[in-house]
Amino acid sequence: MATPGAEEDALGRYRSPLVSRYASAEMAFNFSERKKFGTWRRLWLYLAQAEKSLGLPITDEQIQEMEANLDNIDFKMAAEEEKKLRHDVMAHVHTFAHCCPKAAAIIHLGATSCYVGDNTDLIVLRDGFNLLLPKLARVISRLADFAEKYADLPTLGFTHYQPAQLTTVGKRCCLWIQDLCMDLQKLERAQDDLRFRGVKGTTGTQASFLQLFEGDHSKVEELDRLVTAKAGFKRAYIVTGQTYSRKVDIEVLSVLASLGASIHKICTDIRLLANLKEIEEPFEKDQIGSSAMPYKRNPMRSERCCSLARHLMTLVLDPLQTASVQWFERTLDDSANRRVCLAEAFLTADIILSTLQNISEGLVVYPKVIERRIRQELPFMATENIIVAMVKAGGNRQDCHEKVRVLSQQAAAVVKQEGGDNDLIARVRADPYFSPIHGHLESLLDPSSFTGRAPQQVAKFLKEEVRPALVPYQSKMGGKIELAL
């Protein structure tokens, strides 16, 4: 049997479809080994630079050697070291030291493993938000354009998925947008709330650094501040154990789970509308809806969003449980779990946002189908208007109500028992009792008169709340997105 090549060997092992099938290259890189271990080396460099500036005996040559080898990572050597040492951080300390022999003695000086581990996680979370926020803004922008375009188009509203008063296509879309705007604010807040762990030592007391600086508390505080600034954070947590509080992970995954719930609701609505043939997601020229039924146009993009959103919503259970069982200053039963749930939450959020952007850029509306459904239901909704018009013409409200009730029941029987069209208005026209308003029936049945202030609400909402929220992202709106699969 021939020895498999690298590509064939990869096909013989499980690969997460989040990366192999769906996620963007940028988000996949953000959680990659190269990003992680490259960040570890940068953190070791920041620490050495700050320690040198505060008077520790570290030379320019050592700093330059570290700078020159930040991305010169021998991953094979690191894997061998970890297998031998059973410690990932020390494996990479040795691997870094191997290519930086002059700096070997000062790499990781005073630090604990969580100095690189937790601080890198915080950097990756921050950078993950930097990728998600513009994507979410783009989705909101595309849907805002859609809402504006269809702000005046009447459509049948539903409560309990039963016909209710009319709304407009644009107003319904604004319900989606409002949820996403709330998510945008929550993601922004969660990112702003992130702090750096900084240099805190083994149990968070900074004892090792206080010893390095011979009891000088001000230098330890300045070391923390310098490294925090070098990593691009404005603030560090003042109090930590060995790790930053795992409640931070709860906050991060909670906002992502909330985003998942919003997108699940939006895409469920789109799937229901596709069944009604009122609105459809994009359907490509050569796309196949079903292997058995060639006529089908399955809403597969919306279904994908719902499927992955369910996964995203469940991931918040991991950090909830992890935070609850962290003993004292820390235990290691968080580590393996966090390797999975943090990455998967951001990868999943990235995928469903990209997919929803693709959907929102190609939504197809069928006004004639919408109009036909309105015609089927509007006569029943117009009965109150008919009664009011008759009273204004001199009729008795109770007599009119009974007449309308009888005719409505007859029309409903035609629809439900005979499968016919709603003929209530024809019955009203044929009844001499209603002759005073026969000439006004068309205006009484104008769908736009049943949508209330929906068009005005759309305009006000987009102008006052949506467009201003998108201003910080204007330079990142980009073009249309095409899905790889």
Side-chain angles (χ1 to χ4, degrees):
M1 181 176 178
T3 303
E7 183 176 348
E8 186 178 342
D9 185 52
L11 294 174
R13 293 179 294 169
Y14 173 79
R15 293 186 299 164
S16 169
L18 293 176
V19 174
S20 65
R21 189 174 179 88
Y22 300 127
S24 68
E26 295 82 6
M27 190 62 80
F29 175 76
N30 190 50
F31 287 92
S32 69
E33 299 286 276
R34 189 168 295 281
K35 168 77 177 272
K36 175 180 176 179
F37 297 124
T39 303
W40 283 13
R41 291 195 174 188
R42 283 162 176 78
L43 287 168
W44 282 320
L45 173 64
Y46 300 155
L47 181 62
Q49 289 172 329
E51 289 174 336
K52 178 180 183 297
S53 71
L54 292 170
L56 293 188
I58 296 172
T59 67
D60 289 339
E61 193 174 23
Q62 288 173 315
I63 296 295
Q64 290 165 5
E65 187 179 54
M66 293 173 73
E67 289 175 332
N69 286 281
L70 291 176
D71 297 310
N72 179 27
I73 304 175
D74 187 337
F75 288 99
K76 183 178 179 181
M77 178 183 177
E80 291 170 352
E81 286 288 324
E82 184 173 356
K83 187 175 182 180
K84 179 174 64 176
L85 302 173
R86 309 300 295 179
H87 197 288
D88 56 350
V89 173
M90 286 309 299
H92 277 270
V93 168
H94 289 182
T95 304
F96 197 17
H98 180 75
C99 57
C100 298
K102 295 173 183 175
I106 56 92
I107 293 173
H108 200 64
L109 182 60
T112 186
S113 297
C114 285
Y115 166 69
V116 289
D118 271 31
N119 283 324
T120 292
D121 286 344
L122 290 162
I123 289 170
V124 168
L125 295 179
R126 177 198 65 194
D127 294 351
F129 279 126
N130 282 336
L131 294 172
L132 292 181
L133 283 164
K135 289 194 172 189
L136 177 52
R138 284 196 291 270
V139 170
I140 293 171
S141 175
R142 301 322 190 248
L143 289 175
D145 292 341
F146 179 86
E148 189 170 45
K149 181 177 180 180
Y150 294 103
D152 300 320
L153 181 62
T155 190
L156 185 62
F158 292 93
T159 59
H160 314 275
Y161 201 35
Q162 302 300 314
Q165 288 187 350
L166 300 191
T167 183
T168 70
V169 172
K171 170 64 190 298
R172 175 179 284 149
C173 183
C174 284
L175 298 179
W176 304 340
I177 296 169
Q178 181 168 248
D179 287 351
L180 294 176
C181 283
M182 292 172 65
D183 292 316
L184 186 70
Q185 292 173 347
K186 289 178 180 178
L187 262 67
E188 290 172 338
R189 189 206 69 233
Q191 185 184 47
D192 290 342
D193 285 349
L194 284 177
R195 300 190 193 184
F196 202 52
R197 178 190 176 275
V199 287
K200 297 299 192 297
T202 305
T203 57
T205 65
Q206 299 178 303
S208 58
F209 296 106
L210 192 61
Q211 186 176 1
L212 277 173
F213 290 104
E214 299 180 347
D216 191 331
H217 290 267
S218 63
K219 284 191 174 182
V220 176
E221 288 193 7
E222 181 63 7
L223 177 71
D224 208 356
R225 189 195 68 78
L226 286 172
V227 175
T228 297
K230 287 177 181 291
F233 284 81
K234 296 178 181 178
R235 298 176 299 166
Y237 297 106
I238 297 173
V239 175
T240 73
Q242 188 171 91
T243 70
Y244 68 79
S245 171
R246 293 309 183 221
K247 283 185 70 67
V248 173
D249 296 343
I250 295 174
E251 294 304 309
V252 169
L253 266 64
S254 289
V255 299
L256 298 182
S258 182
L259 172 65
S262 299
I263 293 179
H264 197 296
K265 184 264 191 290
I266 292 167
C267 290
T268 298
D269 284 356
I270 293 172
R271 292 164 66 190
L272 292 170
L273 290 167
N275 173 261
L276 297 175
K277 297 181 175 59
E278 292 188 5
I279 293 179
E280 287 183 337
E281 66 177 36
F283 196 89
E284 296 171 18
K285 176 177 174 290
D286 296 322
Q287 184 174 330
I288 294 175
S290 167
S291 60
M293 295 165 280
Y295 60 88
K296 292 192 75 179
R297 291 170 66 97
N298 298 337
M300 51 81 68
R301 291 168 174 83
S302 298
E303 290 173 316
R304 176 185 299 174
C305 283
C306 289
S307 182
L308 291 172
R310 286 201 298 274
H311 178 59
L312 178 56
M313 288 185 281
T314 64
L315 288 173
V316 72
L317 295 176
D318 277 338
L320 280 167
Q321 296 182 71
T322 294
S324 72
V325 297
Q326 285 299 286
W327 300 350
F328 304 113
E329 281 64 49
R330 79 96 38 111
T331 61
L332 196 61
D333 64 346
D334 63 336
S335 179
N337 184 288
R338 295 175 70 253
R339 289 175 191 266
V340 176
C341 70
L342 295 181
E344 289 201 354
F346 277 85
L347 289 164
T348 306
D350 176 71
I351 294 160
I352 60 178
L353 281 173
S354 294
T355 308
L356 185 55
Q357 180 184 337
N358 177 264
I359 292 169
S360 63
E361 289 171 346
L363 284 174
V364 181
V365 178
Y366 297 105
K368 294 297 183 183
V369 178
I370 294 172
E371 181 183 347
R372 184 177 66 206
R373 183 158 286 107
I374 290 174
R375 286 200 308 268
Q376 288 293 315
E377 300 294 341
L378 193 58
F380 294 138
M381 298 175 192
T383 54
E384 183 64 26
N385 289 12
I386 292 172
I387 292 172
V388 170
M390 280 296 294
V391 171
K392 286 182 178 180
N396 179 284
R397 194 267 177 196
Q398 312 314 328
D399 293 341
C400 184
H401 183 279
E402 179 59 21
K403 284 278 190 181
V404 171
R405 187 190 70 81
V406 171
L407 295 182
S408 295
Q409 294 295 330
Q410 293 171 352
V414 171
V415 173
K416 295 178 180 179
Q417 297 174 21
E418 300 176 18
D421 291 333
N422 189 331
D423 63 357
L424 174 59
I425 300 304
R427 292 174 185 274
V428 171
R429 288 188 189 280
D431 192 323
Y433 175 82
F434 293 98
S435 59
I437 64 167
H438 282 169
H440 305 295
L441 284 176
E442 288 301 322
S443 61
L444 291 175
L445 290 167
D446 180 5
S448 64
S449 68
F450 288 82
T451 59
R453 297 193 65 253
Q456 290 75 23
Q457 288 178 351
V458 171
K460 183 180 179 68
F461 176 60
L462 295 181
K463 179 182 178 181
E464 296 185 10
E465 296 191 23
V466 179
R467 302 297 187 191
L470 299 179
V471 169
Y473 306 98
Q474 289 301 326
S475 63
K476 298 180 180 179
M477 284 303 173
K480 289 190 174 183
I481 190 169
E482 300 294 335
L483 297 183
L485 283 174

